[in-house]
C-alpha cells in the first residue's frame, strides 16, 4: 500500500502536475519534487470546496511524510490548490459524530502527523494563501517557517474555543513557544483570525509576499540558514506562567460567568505547556479535548457552527437555477437614519453601489456622517485600508431629491416605523422603479402583507422584508420575510444577495414581529413587569448575564429605546393579545421622556453614553435565586419559540435557534431556546439540570 502510494504520489520532476494528477485525482493531497529537490505537498480535497482534515487526509499525510523521509529532499513546502483556502481545520462532521474512543484515535493521529513534520531533518515551510485556521494553522506551526500571501482572503487563527474545544493537534503547545505565552493565550481564548500582516506582527508568520510569489519566496527562505527564534524566557517559565494562569483564569471566570469550560481548559493547557515537555503538553491537550467533547456546551457550539454553514448555502426553492436569475447589482436605501446609514455603509463596504435617499439635505448629511464614522472604525480595526474605505464611500450616491430607481435591482426602505408612511413610500417606489426591482422593507414588526395590498402597489410578488439588525456592521443575521405574494424567484434572488454581502439569512413568514422580535418581546416585557413588582432592575439583568446573555433585558430595552420597544409591543399586542401588554414602568418612563440611553435615562442613568450605578450583588431577591429568575424569563422565549415553530413562522427548530443566537446573542453555549429546552428535559451526563420555575 505504502509503495503504491509512494509510486503514485512521487512523480519525476518533469512530470509535475501532469500524469500524476490524473493517477491521483481522488487523493486529498499530492507530493511532488521540483528539479531543485524541493518536496511540495499540495492539499487538494477532491470532494469539498475547502481542504479539511478528515481521517483519510491524515492517513495520506502520514504516507506523504514517510515518502519525504525516504526521499530526503532539500526542503519541504505545504501548499493548497484551493483558490482562497489553505486548510480550514479539522472536519467537524467527523469530530461531532465521534465517540470518545474514536475521538482519541483522531487526536493522536493528528498529533503524530504534526510531530513527524516537526521532527523532519530537512527545513519545512507552510506557504499559506487563504484561510489557515484550526488544524491548518496547527500544521503550519509544526513547520519551521510560515510564509503567507498578502491577499485579503489569507487569515490565520485558532478558533477552537469558539466551538467549545481547544487546539489539540499541538496548537496549544506550539503557539506559546513561538510567540510567547501572553500573546498565544490571547489568540487562543479570543479565537480571532488575523490578516497576514497582523499575524506577522504577532510573530506567527515569518514573511508576507504576493500570492504569485508564495512558492518561490518559500523556497528561497528554506535555502537560508535556520531562523533563530526568540525564546520568551521572561513569560514561558513556571513562575511567570503560574501567575499568568491565575490572573487569566480569574478574568475569564468573571467575564464568562463560568459558562465556557473550554476557555478554562485552554488556559490550563496553554500555560502549563508553555515550557517543559512537548509530549506531556500534547497529552494534556488530548485529555482536555476528551473531557470537553462530552459536554452540552461543546455540542451546542458545534451545532451552531454547522447551522451557520447551512445558512451560508440556504436555498428556498432549490429547483430554481441561480444562473437564470438576474443578480442584484445596484441598490437604493430609503431613509438615512441609524438603520439606513448602517445598511448603506455595509452594502458599499461590500462593493455594492447604493443610492441613499432621505427627505431633506440635513438628514442625508447626518446619514452620510454616520456612514463616514462606520468606515472610520473599519479602518481603525484594520478591516479596510483608508484608500479602500474612500473607494467604497464613492459607491454611495446621496440624494435629498426623489430619483429614478429604474436601474436599481433592489430598494431597501428604512424609514420611520409607521405603516401609513411606509405605504406611501412603497406606492411611490412602485412608480419610480422597474417591474423587476425588488422592494424590501427593514420594518421591525409591521405586517408586510398589508404593504402588498395597499393603494398604488404594483407587482406585490417583488415585495419582501429584509430585516437587518442593529448595529448592521456587527450583526450577521438578516431575516428574509416572505408573504403569500412573494415569488420564489424573488426569494432566491434575495437569498443570493444576502449571502453575497456576507450576512446569514433565515427565511421567515410574514407575521407581526417576524421571528426574533416576536420571541424576544415577551421576555423583555416580563422583565418590565417584574420591575412593576419592585424587583431590582440590576438583579434582573445580572440574572440574565449569569444565564449567558450578552446584556440584561432592561439594559437592552434602554439600548433599543423604550419608545421604539413600545411601538413594537403595540403592534404585537394587537396581533397576539395580553402577553405583549406593556408594563406600567415603561409607560411612566416614556411619559417623562426617559427613552433609555439616547435620552440619558431609562431603567438606568447614562453618562457619556455609559450606564452608571452599582451592579446587583444579591444572589437571591424576593425569594428567588438568580438562576430561578433566569429560568423563568428564558422560559418565556422557549414558549414563544414553540409557538413560532407550530405556526410555521420559521422553517424548523434549527433556524429558530440560529436566529435567536445571531439576532439577540441568546447564550450561544446553550444553543438557542429550543436546544436549551431539550437539554433541560434530558441533560447529557455531567450537566446539572435546572428545575423549571415559573413565577
Ligand atoms: P430613524 O428614525 O433613525 O431613521 C428614519 C429615517 O427615515 C429618518 O432619517 C427620516 O427622515 C427618514 N424618512 C422618514 N420618511 C421618509 C421618506 N418618506 N423618505 C425617505 N426617508 C424618510 O429610524 P431607524 O432606527 O433607522 O429605523 C428605520 C426602520 O428600521 C424602522 O422601520 C425600524 O423599525 C427598523 N429597524 C430599526 C432598528 C433599530 O434598532 N433602530 C433595528 C431593525 C429595524
Amino acid at each position: 500500500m505504502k509503495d503504491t502510494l509512494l509510486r503514485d504520489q512521487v512523480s519525476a520532476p518533469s512530470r509535475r502536475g501532469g500524469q500524476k494528477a490524473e493517477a491521483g485525482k481522488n487523493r486529498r493531497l499530492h507530493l511532488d519534487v521540483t528539479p531543485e529537490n524541493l518536496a511540495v505537498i499540495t492539499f487538494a480535497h477532491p470532494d469539498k470546496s475547502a481542504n479539511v482534515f478528515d481521517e483519510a487526509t491524515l492517513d495520506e499525510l502520514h504516507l506523504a511524510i514517510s515518502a519525504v523521509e525516504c526521499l530526503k529532499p532539500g526542503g519541504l513546502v505545504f501548499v493548497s490548490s484551493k483558490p482562497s483556502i489553505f486548510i480550514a481545520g479539522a472536519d467537524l462532521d467527523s469530530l461531532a459524530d465521534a465517540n470518545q474512543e474514536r475521538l482519541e484515535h483522531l487526536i493522536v493521529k493528528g498529533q503524530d502527523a504534526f510531530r513527524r513534520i516537526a521532527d523532519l531533518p530537512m527545513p519545512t515551510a507552510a506557504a499559506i494563501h487563504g484561510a489557515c485556521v484550526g488544524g491548518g494553522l496547527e500544521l503550519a506551526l509544526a513547520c519551521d517557517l510560515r510564509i503567507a500571501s498578502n491577499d485579503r482572503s489569507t487569515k490565520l487563527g485558532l478558533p477552537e474555543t469558539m466551538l467549545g474545544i481547544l487546539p489539540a493537534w499541538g496548537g496549544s503547545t506550539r503557539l506559546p513557544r513561538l510567540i510567547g505565552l501572553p500573546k498565544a493565550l490571547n489568540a487562543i481564548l479570543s479565537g480571532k483570525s488575523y490578516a497576514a500582516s497582523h499575524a506577522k506582527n504577532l510573530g506567527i508568520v515569518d514573511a508576507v509576499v504576493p500570492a504569485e510569489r508564495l512558492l518561490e519566496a518559500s523556497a528561497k527562505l528554506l535555502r537560508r540558514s535556520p531562523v533563530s527564534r526568540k525564546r520568551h524566557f521572561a513569560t514561558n517559565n513556571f513562575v511567570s506562567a503560574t501567575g499568568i494562569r491565575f490572573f487569566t483564569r480569574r478574568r475569564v471566570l468573571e467575564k464568562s460567568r463560568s459558562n465556557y469550560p473550554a476557555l478554562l481548559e485552554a488556559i490550563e493547557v496553554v500555560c502549563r505547556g508553555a515550557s517543559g515537555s512537548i509530549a506531556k503538553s500534547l497529552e494534556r491537550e488530548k485529555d482536555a479535548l476528551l473531557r470537553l467533547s462530552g459536554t452540552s456546551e461543546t455540542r451546542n457550539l458545534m451545532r451552531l457552527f454547522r447551522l451557520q454553514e447551512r445558512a451560508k448555502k440556504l436555498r428556498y426553492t432549490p429547483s430554481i437555477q441561480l444562473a437564470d436569475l438576474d443578480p442584484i447589482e445596484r441598490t437604493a436605501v430609503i431613509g438615512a437614519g441609524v438603520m439606513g446609514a448602517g445598511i448603506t455603509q455595509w452594502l458599499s463596504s461590500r462593493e455594492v453601489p447604493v443610492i441613499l435617499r432621505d427627505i431633506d439635505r440635513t438628514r442625508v448629511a447626518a446619514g452620510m456622517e454616520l456612514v463616514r464614522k462606520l468606515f472610520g472604525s473599519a479602518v481603525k480595526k484594520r478591516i479596510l485600508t483608508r484608500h479602500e474605505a474612500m473607494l467604497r464611500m464613492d459607491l454611495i450616491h446621496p440624494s435629498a431629491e426623489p430619483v429614478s430607481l429604474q436601474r436599481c435591482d433592489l430598494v431597501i426602505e428604512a424609514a420611520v416605523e409607521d405603516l401609513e408612511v411606509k405605504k406611501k413610500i412603497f406606492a411611490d417606489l412602485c412608480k419610480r422603479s422597474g417591474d423587476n426591482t425588488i422592494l424590501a422593507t427593514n420594518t421591525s414588526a409591521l405586517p408586510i402583507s398589508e404593504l402588498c395590498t395597499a393603494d398604488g402597489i404594483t407587482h406585490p410578488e417583488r415585495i419582501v422584508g429584509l430585516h437587518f439588525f442593529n448595529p448592521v456592521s456587527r450583526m450577521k443575521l438578516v431575516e428574509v420575510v416572505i408573504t403569500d405574494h412573494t415569488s420564489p424567484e424573488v426569494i432566491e434572488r434575495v437569498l443570493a444577495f444576502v449571502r453575497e454581502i456576507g450576512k446569514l439569512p433565515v427565511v421567515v413568514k410574514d407575521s407581526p414581529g417576524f421571528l426574533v422580535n416576536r420571541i424576544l418581546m415577551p421576555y423583555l416585557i416580563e422583565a418590565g413587569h417584574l420591575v412593576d413588582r419592585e424587583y431590582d432592575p440590576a438583579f434582573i439583568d445580572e440574572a440574565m448575564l449569569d444565564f449567558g446573555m450578552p446584556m440584561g433585558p432592561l439594559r437592552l430595552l434602554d439600548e433599543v429605546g423604550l419608545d421604539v420597544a413600545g411601538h413594537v409591543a403595540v403592534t404585537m399586542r394587537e396581533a397576539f393579545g395580553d402577553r405583549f401588554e406593556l408594563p406600567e414602568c415603561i409607560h411612566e418612563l416614556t411619559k417623562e421622556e426617559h427613552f433609555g440611553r439616547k435620552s440619558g435615562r431609562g431603567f438606568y442613568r447614562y453618562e457619556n453614553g455609559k450606564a452608571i450605578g452599582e451592579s446587583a450583588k444579591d444572589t437571591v431577591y424576593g425569594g428567588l435565586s438568580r438562576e430561578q429568575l433566569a429560568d423563568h424569563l428564558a422560559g418565556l422565549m422557549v414558549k414563544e419559540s414553540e409557538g413560532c415553530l407550530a405556526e410555521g413562522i420559521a422553517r424548523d427548530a434549527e433556524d429558530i435557534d440560529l436566529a435567536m443566537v445571531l439576532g439577540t446573542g441568546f447564550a450561544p453555549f446553550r444553543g438557542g431556546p429550543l436546544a436549551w429546552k431539550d437539554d433541560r428535559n434530558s441533560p447529557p451526563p455531567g450537566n446539572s439540570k435546572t428545575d423549571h420555575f415559573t413565577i
Side-chain angles (χ1 to χ4, degrees):
M1 164 75 179
K2 184 170 153 184
D3 286 350
T4 321
L5 188 93
L6 289 185
R7 217 177 30 247
D8 280 357
Q9 281 194 333
V10 183
S11 51
S14 59
R15 286 170 56 206
R16 188 171 177 227
Q19 270 169 274
K20 179 214 44 79
E22 186 51 36
K25 67 179 179 214
N26 291 322
R27 295 261 156 73
R28 283 151 166 83
L29 49 90
H30 303 281
L31 169 63
D32 297 281
V33 180
T34 68
E36 295 79 26
N37 198 27
L38 181 70
V40 180
I41 292 181
T42 307
F43 284 87
H45 203 297
D47 314 319
K48 298 199 180 210
S49 56
N51 292 317
V52 287
F53 279 118
D54 46 22
E55 184 161 22
T57 307
L58 288 173
D59 285 337
E60 287 187 30
L61 181 59
H62 271 286
L63 286 169
I65 298 167
S66 299
V68 171
E69 284 166 349
C70 291
L71 288 165
K72 299 190 176 54
L76 167 64
V77 186
F78 291 95
V79 298
S80 157
S81 69
K82 305 284 177 184
S84 61
I85 286 177
F86 178 67
I87 300 171
D91 177 25
L92 289 181
D93 290 338
S94 52
L95 287 191
D97 299 339
N99 61 23
Q100 290 269 305
E101 204 179 320
R102 173 138 181 81
L103 192 57
E104 180 164 9
H105 165 79
L106 290 172
I107 299 170
V108 170
K109 195 172 259 188
Q111 286 188 347
D112 280 352
F114 297 171
R115 183 190 43 73
R116 290 180 70 196
I117 293 168
D119 290 347
L120 283 171
M122 72 287 302
T124 54
I128 302 160
H129 172 65
C132 170
V133 290
L137 182 53
E138 292 183 289
L139 173 131
L141 289 170
C143 295
D144 299 314
L145 296 170
R146 285 148 296 280
I147 298 96
S149 82
N150 59 3
D151 195 82
R152 188 162 284 285
S153 68
T154 299
K155 294 259 186 269
L156 300 95
L158 294 173
E160 285 86 345
T161 52
M162 303 290 99
L163 299 172
I165 53 175
L166 81 167
W169 279 340
S172 300
T173 303
R174 293 194 177 96
L175 191 62
R177 285 159 201 256
L178 180 69
I179 65 173
L181 180 53
K183 283 197 262 175
L185 256 185
N186 189 26
I188 290 171
L189 297 182
S190 70
K192 270 188 195 159
S193 285
Y194 303 102
S197 58
H198 197 165
K200 179 154 188 294
N201 288 343
L202 286 171
I204 299 174
V205 158
D206 297 288
V208 179
V209 299
E212 55 282 7
R213 285 200 44 231
L214 203 49
L215 198 55
E216 174 201 332
S218 305
K220 203 164 152 192
L221 281 171
L222 281 178
R223 280 197 295 272
R224 288 205 192 143
S225 48
V227 272
S228 62
R229 300 258 175 226
K230 205 172 153 189
R231 302 298 295 272
H232 305 289
F233 288 122
T235 54
N236 293 19
N237 64 69
F238 179 75
V239 177
S240 304
T242 307
I244 292 172
R245 187 167 113 212
F246 174 79
F247 287 110
T248 311
R249 194 181 154 82
R250 198 163 75 176
R251 181 171 52 81
V252 164
L253 273 173
E254 205 173 293
K255 215 169 157 207
S256 71
R257 302 195 177 219
S258 313
N259 284 328
Y260 290 87
L263 297 176
L264 303 179
E265 292 279 10
I267 295 169
E268 285 300 304
V269 174
V270 176
C271 290
R272 295 177 70 192
S275 56
S277 148
I278 289 191
K280 264 197 191 146
S281 183
L282 293 178
E283 192 72 24
R284 279 194 289 269
E285 287 185 0
K286 183 190 75 185
D287 293 344
L289 182 47
L290 289 175
R291 275 194 298 278
L292 289 168
S293 70
T295 63
S296 60
E297 289 88 349
T298 302
R299 186 167 34 76
N300 285 329
L301 291 168
M302 290 257 195
R303 171 175 169 268
L304 284 172
F305 177 82
R306 287 206 302 278
L307 293 183
Q308 293 195 45
E309 293 302 300
R310 186 178 86 151
K312 281 182 193 164
K313 298 174 199 131
L314 179 62
R315 299 285 311 270
Y316 194 74
T317 314
S319 57
I320 294 178
Q321 296 295 317
L322 288 180
D324 296 343
L325 300 176
D326 292 334
I328 293 176
E329 286 167 350
R330 290 192 176 76
T331 63
V333 172
I334 310 299
V338 177
M339 292 307 289
I343 295 168
T344 300
Q345 189 272 340
W346 185 260
L347 297 184
S348 59
S349 76
R350 306 298 291 207
E351 300 184 76
V352 179
V354 46
I355 296 167
L356 176 61
R357 156 105 173 94
D358 206 308
I359 44 179
D360 58 40
R361 281 179 179 209
T362 319
R363 287 173 214 239
V364 173
M368 285 304 290
E369 189 50 36
L370 277 176
V371 170
R372 222 182 308 277
K373 276 194 186 145
L374 289 166
F375 271 116
S377 106
V379 170
K380 242 192 213 157
K381 289 184 196 151
R382 303 199 220 185
I383 297 167
L384 294 173
T385 64
R386 197 168 295 279
H387 181 64
E388 285 168 339
M390 272 167 54
L391 290 179
R392 283 159 175 76
M393 281 234 359
D394 280 349
L395 294 172
I396 305 173
H397 175 78
S399 171
E401 305 299 328
V403 281
S404 166
L405 302 168
Q406 288 291 334
R407 294 185 62 218
C408 281
D409 304 303
L410 168 70
V411 181
I412 303 171
E413 170 276 321
V416 283
E417 186 75 343
D418 178 321
L419 189 58
E420 292 314 308
V421 172
K422 287 191 195 290
K423 279 182 182 170
K424 280 194 194 129
I425 292 177
F426 268 72
D428 180 58
L429 290 178
C430 284
K431 282 192 219 137
R432 274 177 210 292
S433 59
D435 289 351
N436 203 23
T437 305
I438 296 173
L439 303 180
T441 171
N442 187 50
T443 174
S444 307
L446 295 172
I448 297 172
S449 306
E450 280 193 38
L451 279 180
C452 295
T453 51
D455 287 346
I457 299 299
T458 52
H459 298 288
E461 72 281 358
R462 39 82 181 257
I463 294 180
V464 286
L466 256 189
H467 186 210
F468 288 82
F469 289 74
N470 190 14
V472 179
S473 59
R474 290 222 305 269
M475 302 296 279
K476 275 192 195 168
L477 183 71
V478 175
E479 284 181 321
V480 175
V481 188
I482 58 173
T483 71
D484 292 342
H485 304 272
T486 320
S487 79
E489 287 76 16
V490 165
I491 300 172
E492 286 302 330
R493 284 177 75 198
V494 168
L495 286 177
F497 178 70
V498 173
R499 286 195 300 268
E500 192 74 24
I501 60 168
K503 297 286 180 194
L504 293 176
V506 170
V507 175
V508 300
K509 293 233 168 91
D510 182 33
S511 165
F514 315 128
L515 183 67
V516 172
N517 283 340
R518 158 101 180 259
I519 296 171
L520 190 68
M521 271 326 260
Y523 155 77
L524 296 181
I525 285 174
E526 176 64 2
H529 285 307
L530 290 174
V531 174
D532 284 351
R533 287 155 62 186
E534 309 210 329
Y535 275 80
D536 175 10
F539 180 75
I540 297 169
D541 280 352
E542 285 294 317
M544 292 319 294
L545 289 171
D546 283 355
F547 181 83
M549 301 301 281
M551 190 181 269
L554 300 166
R555 272 282 287 114
L556 181 58
L557 277 166
D558 274 0
E559 205 60 31
V560 170
L562 300 183
D563 50 340
V564 175
H567 289 310
V568 175
V570 167
T571 306
M572 296 178 67
R573 190 186 175 283
E574 279 167 16
F576 303 115
D578 285 351
R579 67 183 187 282
F580 290 91
E581 181 73 55
L582 268 186
E584 201 43 46
C585 58
I586 294 190
H587 284 302
E588 278 169 19
L589 285 166
T590 46
K591 222 184 282 163
E592 290 173 39
E593 303 203 339
H594 297 320
F595 299 128
R597 189 164 68 90
K598 61 186 170 189
S599 66
R601 183 152 175 216
F603 286 100
Y604 297 87
R605 283 179 188 280
Y606 295 83
E607 267 175 23
N608 301 323
K610 288 214 165 101
I612 49 166
E614 281 287 293
S615 60
K617 297 277 179 281
D618 305 323
T619 50
V620 177
Y621 194 93
L624 281 188
S625 71
R626 285 187 188 180
E627 202 183 351
Q628 286 168 324
L629 187 67
D631 199 43
H632 165 66
L633 285 173
L636 295 173
M637 285 193 263
V638 172
K639 213 164 152 200
E640 205 63 41
S641 299
E642 288 172 331
C644 287
L645 189 61
E647 289 168 36
I649 304 295
R651 207 170 38 144
D652 52 28
E654 278 78 15
D655 271 2
I656 294 180
D657 280 343
L658 181 69
M660 289 309 286
V661 172
L662 294 181
T664 70
F666 188 99
F669 72 96
R670 298 189 192 272
L674 294 171
W676 177 59
K677 186 200 110 187
D678 288 346
D679 278 348
R680 268 192 328 177
N681 291 344
S682 51
N687 279 87
S688 65
K689 181 176 185 283
T690 312
D691 288 332
H692 185 57
F693 191 90
T694 41
I695 297 179

